[in-house]
Amino acid sequence: MTRGKQKIEAQKKNAEKNQKSKGSQFEARAVALKVSCPICKAQLANQNQLNDHYSSKHPKENAPAESS
């Protein structure tokens, strides 16, 4: 029955490890998404992504100038 004890200990250890790694990433996501499209309100990380977004999603519109 020694393997039974090891199994229980391993389950407890894995449960602790998994509990620490789980969590919400809303805060990290909010920090990373700094630019938003004024037309469709899509949130993007930087001006280059906004330019690419405009060329693919809003081809008839011009991307706004970079605001520093």
Side-chain angles (χ1 to χ4, degrees), residues 44-62:
L44 305 162
N46 55 32
Q47 187 67 27
N48 290 338
Q49 285 186 351
L50 182 63
N51 292 337
D52 292 341
H53 170 78
Y54 261 82
S55 65
S56 65
K57 301 294 182 185
H58 314 294
K60 295 180 182 178
E61 301 290 331
N62 292 329

Side-chain angles (χ1 to χ4, degrees), residues 7-21:
K7 181 179 176 183
I8 293 170
E9 289 175 1
Q11 287 175 345
K12 286 181 184 178
K13 182 179 176 183
N14 286 335
E16 288 177 12
K17 185 175 108 178
N18 290 336
Q19 186 179 19
K20 291 178 186 175
S21 65

